[in-house]
Amino acid sequence: EQIQFQANLLSQTGEVIIATDTKGIVTYWNAAAERLFGAAAHQAIGQPGERFFKSWICDDPPERITKELETNGIWEGIYRLLKPEGLERAFSVTVSRLEHDRAGAGSIDAGRLWISHDVTKREFIARELVESESRYRQIFEETPLPMWVIDIETLRFLDVNRAACELYGYTVDEFLTMT
């Protein structure tokens, strides 16, 4: 009964959970994996995991992931999934080394547990924020009017633009020492 309850938990989570053996063959595939990859568990289990990850791109090379798993037993990073229609989705992925305890004989490597969380929206917002900051910085720097940013409590200059430096004859560094 406890095992069935735990299986239901894994099946009902919104996170993609996949387990593979030491050869990379899929041994567990939850409902979220079915939705993401479009393959039912009975179609995925027993298949090489790499078959489903062909269009996934990771910044870390496979050698680094393997080293992290061997050294720390866990790797965390971002994978990007390129969908056929050209859309990109980003996933925060945690890969853990699965170990099987042998009664009194220690543990052996039993494969990998992959848990993925869709962070596409977070990645999009972060990218938009960087672009917005860049646009603001450009406006601040290129406006012909002197502008500055001050700390409201200390009245110290935090930043000044080129026009302020030209008008008042101080460098940015000199401004930043003033109140």
Side-chain angles (χ1 to χ4, degrees):
E1 191 173 301
Q2 181 66 20
I3 291 174
Q4 183 61 44
F5 173 74
Q6 292 171 348
N8 283 337
L9 287 177
L10 293 175
S11 176
Q12 293 179 27
T13 182
E15 310 301 312
V16 173
I17 300 175
I18 300 169
T20 58
D21 66 13
T22 56
K23 294 178 179 155
I25 304 298
V26 175
T27 57
Y28 179 80
W29 189 266
N30 75 345
E34 289 180 343
R35 288 188 298 276
L36 178 64
F37 292 98
H42 73 274
Q43 295 168 312
I45 293 174
Q47 298 295 318
E50 65 187 26
R51 175 179 166 203
F52 301 98
F53 295 103
K54 288 179 182 171
S55 58
W56 289 67
I57 299 169
C58 182
D59 293 337
D60 284 350
E63 304 81 37
R64 180 169 179 210
I65 297 171
T66 299
K67 185 177 181 197
E68 285 282 323
L69 285 165
E70 290 171 356
T71 306
N72 304 319
I74 192 168
W75 172 85
E76 295 176 312
I78 300 291
Y79 265 91
R80 299 188 189 291
L81 172 61
L82 301 178
K83 302 289 274 182
E85 59 272 9
L87 299 174
E88 179 181 298
R89 291 177 64 188
F91 291 84
S92 173
V93 178
T94 301
V95 182
S96 304
R97 185 175 55 225
L98 287 174
E99 295 183 354
H100 177 69
D101 290 326
R102 296 183 303 173
S107 62
I108 61 169
D109 188 352
R112 303 291 177 259
L113 178 65
W114 300 71
I115 301 175
S116 304
H117 175 73
D118 191 335
V119 293
T120 305
K121 204 176 282 186
R122 182 179 77 191
E123 290 275 312
F124 174 78
I125 291 168
R127 196 170 25 239
E128 288 290 312
L129 180 60
V130 167
E131 289 173 9
S132 173
E133 289 172 347
S134 176
R135 286 190 303 269
Y136 170 77
R137 169 61 55 192
Q138 185 178 7
I139 292 168
F140 181 78
E141 288 298 329
E142 294 179 9
T143 185
L145 300 173
M147 294 179 70
W148 49 84
V149 178
I150 62 168
D151 181 314
I152 197 72
E153 293 179 12
T154 66
L155 301 180
R156 290 188 92 57
F157 287 95
L158 300 175
D159 201 1
V160 296
N161 71 353
R162 185 176 28 242
C165 293
E166 290 171 3
L167 179 66
Y168 296 108
Y170 296 108
T171 67
V172 172
D173 290 336
E174 290 171 328
F175 262 114
L176 298 182
T177 64
M178 300 179 192
T179 56

